[in-house]
């Protein structure tokens, strides 16, 4: 195992970075879209039921099935993997963003408006900071879930460590089949742990002490 890793350490490190990069970029894009959608949903409450239904349906779609759909729509290319990962990443953040924004005390919003703040200023300076702890929890959940989705997305040439797992499965009985599978699996676990630590640090830096759980 160690000889296998030593001989391929440069490629393994590169694929590890690619896996981390794919997930974090997809989560970033998904989080921005999710917050924007949540603002609209909270503004028009009749959309909440529809959003919850779509989120529930989306989370029940098997990842491999979505990968198959992306294969038919956009072909075998990295952008297909990005869209698949971003789709799953959006759903937990959207749910948490809606809950977080709805949980902001209306009296605080009214006080901010009474001080002459514009609707955009109220959103940016009052509502989002107060909702951020709940949104942040959704981002953490989304990131961990996306690590596994990115591995499955290797089926359509998504970058990262998932390719090692598929190679190991394809070579069952071969000399390095187990090594490939272990490198892919353990690598994803380590990347997930590092990402979660970084997000915890982000939370410590961006969540006010007064509202930190």
């Amino acid at each position: 195992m160690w000889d296998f890793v030593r001989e391929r350490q440069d490629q393994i490190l590169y694929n590890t970075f690619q896996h981390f990069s794919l997930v974090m970029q997809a989560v970033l894009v998904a989080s921005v879209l999710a917050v924007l959608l949540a603002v609209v949903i909270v503004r028009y409450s009749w959309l909440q039921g529809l959003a919850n239904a779509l989120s529930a349906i989306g989370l029940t779609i098997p990842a491999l099935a979505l990968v198959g759909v992306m294969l038919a729509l956009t072909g075998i290319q990295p952008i297909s993997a990005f869209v698949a990962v971003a789709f799953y990443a959006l759903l937990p953040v959207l749910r948490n963003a809606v809950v977080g924004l709805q949980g902001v005390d209306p009296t605080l919003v009214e006080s901010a408006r009474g001080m002459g703040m514009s609707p955009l200023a109220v959103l940016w300076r009052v509502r989002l900071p107060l909702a951020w702890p709940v949104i942040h929890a959704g981002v953490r959940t989304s990131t961990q879930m996306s690590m596994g989705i990115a591995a499955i997305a290797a089926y359509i040439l998504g970058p990262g460590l998932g390719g090692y797992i598929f190679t190991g499965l394809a070579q069952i009985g071969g000399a390095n089949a187990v090594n490939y599978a272990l490198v892919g699996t353990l690598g994803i676990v380590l990347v997930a742990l590092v990402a979660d630590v970084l997000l915890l640090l982000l939370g410590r830096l961006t969540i006010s002490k007064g509202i930190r759980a």
Side-chain angles (χ1 to χ4, degrees):
M1 175 67 180
W2 295 115
D3 291 337
F4 177 87
V5 172
R6 248 194 329 266
E7 291 170 3
R8 299 164 176 80
Q9 60 181 349
D10 291 340
Q11 188 62 39
I12 291 172
L13 288 173
Y14 175 75
N15 287 329
T16 299
F17 172 76
Q18 289 285 84
H19 198 96
F20 178 84
S21 178
L22 169 63
V23 170
M24 298 312 290
Q25 289 182 57
V27 169
L28 177 61
V29 171
S31 297
V32 172
L33 290 176
V35 171
L36 292 176
L37 287 173
V39 171
V40 175
I41 290 168
V42 172
R43 175 67 178 82
Y44 302 99
S45 57
W46 60 271
L47 289 173
Q48 185 178 350
L50 178 62
N52 288 336
L54 291 177
S55 294
I57 293 171
L59 288 172
T60 61
I61 298 175
L64 199 56
L66 180 61
V67 166
V69 172
M70 295 308 304
L71 178 62
L73 292 176
T74 58
I76 300 178
Q77 55 181 326
I79 189 63
S80 302
F82 177 86
V83 173
V85 176
F87 171 81
Y88 278 102
L90 182 143
L91 302 176
V93 182
L94 177 59
R95 280 188 170 186
N96 278 43
V98 170
V99 172
L101 288 171
Q102 287 180 331
V104 175
D105 190 342
T107 59
L108 296 176
V109 175
E110 289 300 321
S111 297
R113 289 172 179 167
M115 294 171 63
M117 287 188 182
S118 66
L120 184 59
V122 172
L123 174 66
W124 185 253
R125 299 179 61 183
V126 179
R127 298 177 68 193
L128 283 179
L130 291 174
W132 173 238
V134 181
I135 298 172
H136 177 260
V139 172
R140 287 182 62 192
T141 301
S142 176
T143 301
Q144 297 306 304
M145 186 175 71
S146 298
M147 291 292 173
I149 303 300
I152 296 173
Y155 184 74
I156 48 175
L157 297 186
L161 294 164
Y164 289 114
I165 298 175
F166 282 106
T167 300
L169 294 175
Q171 296 182 3
I172 289 177
N176 287 317
V178 175
N179 290 333
Y180 275 113
L182 282 176
V183 165
T185 303
L186 295 178
I188 291 170
V189 171
L190 289 174
V191 171
L193 290 173
V194 170
D196 197 51
V197 169
L198 293 176
L199 287 174
L200 279 173
L201 292 175
L202 176 65
R204 296 289 294 181
L205 292 173
T206 57
I207 299 175
S208 172
K209 291 182 180 179
I211 58 175
R212 188 181 301 162

